[in-house]
Amino acid sequence: GIQVEQSPPDLILQEGANSTLRCNFSDSVNNLQWFHQNPWGQLINLFYIPSGTKQNGRLSATTVATERYSLLYISSSQTTDSGVYFCAVEGRGSTLGRLYFGRGTQLTVWP
Amino acid sequence: GAVVSQHPSWVICKSGTSVKIECRSLDFQATTMFWYRQFPKQSLMLMATSNEGSKATYEQGVEKDKFLINHASLTLSTLTVTSAHPEDSSFYICSASGGRVNTEAFFGQGTRLTVV
């Protein structure tokens, strides 16, 4: 299956700082999603972004499909941003909706 | 976005008993749903693909007789952990995708299973 690598694995920030999370994938994709997993385990959809750039408040994401990577930007971080951020992709030829996950980035934001 | 509901959120059961977890798509029909498993501080690993009206497709290494999947309708898939043992304790989470062009996946709340 398709390989998904996320970096960094851990990130510790002071409140108000900006950060960039990266996701590299090994093959062409139909779909790429970013999720935030909250402390209760719920996966919150952040972006559906197979290509291009999207913004939602303090978060934005860019996927460069031809170079097989995606970036998630968090600006003016808040303590509530803490948690695990996952990148997941649906490979070309995969069952629609079947996602391959990276290992995640554990983000901790201190007040 | 679409809503996927999973029940129960947590369950504690005795070793040797069976546990059923439900996954429902509330506002769309899903011919395919997916069941993932997550161990503490690890990523999500696909266990099986649940196909409405037909047998589930299991990933390599997943015991189909232990993890029974039934997808009886376009809005409901169930995962039954049979004869549960402590090593089956984990976080189980389902997903569904409603579209054919936009295949954005939505996840249930997850079920934390503890087998004692």
Side-chain angles (χ1 to χ4, degrees), chain B residues 37-98:
Chain B
R37 183 174 182 176
Q38 185 181 30
F39 289 106
K41 298 192 182 299
Q42 294 192 23
S43 188
L44 280 76
M45 298 298 296
L46 182 69
M47 298 175 63
T49 301
S50 175
N51 305 299
E52 188 268 336
S54 65
K55 290 183 179 180
T57 306
Y58 290 83
E59 295 297 300
Q60 191 171 7
V62 177
E63 298 177 59
K64 62 180 180 180
D65 294 330
K66 166 165 276 295
F67 299 101
L68 299 180
I69 291 172
N70 184 278
H71 195 149
S73 77
L74 287 171
T75 59
L76 173 63
S77 175
T78 61
L79 168 68
T80 301
V81 183
T82 62
S83 186
H85 291 285
E87 57 266 30
D88 298 324
S89 298
S90 190
F91 187 67
Y92 296 87
I93 190 165
C94 68
S95 77
S97 169

Side-chain angles (χ1 to χ4, degrees), chain A residues 30-31 33 35 37 39-43 45 47-48 86 90 95-99 101-103, chain B residues 32 34 36 38 42-44 46 59 91 93 97 100-109 112:
Chain A
N30 286 332
N31 171 17
Q33 291 184 245
F35 298 93
Q37 188 169 39
W40 297 271
Q42 172 91 54
L43 282 173
N45 287 39
F47 292 102
Y48 168 79
F86 285 106
E90 175 192 309
T95 302
L96 295 182
R98 190 251 194 262
L99 294 177
F101 279 79
R103 293 178 177 270
Chain B
T32 306
F34 302 90
Y36 295 82
Q38 185 181 30
Q42 294 192 23
S43 188
L44 280 76
L46 182 69
E59 295 297 300
F91 187 67
I93 190 165
S97 169
R100 293 191 178 277
V101 177
N102 177 332
T103 58
E104 183 175 5
F106 295 88
F107 283 78
Q109 302 93 319
R112 196 163 302 281

Side-chain angles (χ1 to χ4, degrees), chain A residues 47-74:
Chain A
F47 292 102
Y48 168 79
I49 188 167
S51 64
T53 297
K54 290 186 177 180
Q55 181 157 6
N56 185 2
R58 296 181 295 104
L59 274 59
S60 63
T62 295
T63 297
V64 183
T66 53
E67 297 187 21
R68 299 182 184 168
Y69 74 89
S70 182
L71 302 174
L72 177 68
Y73 305 96
I74 305 175

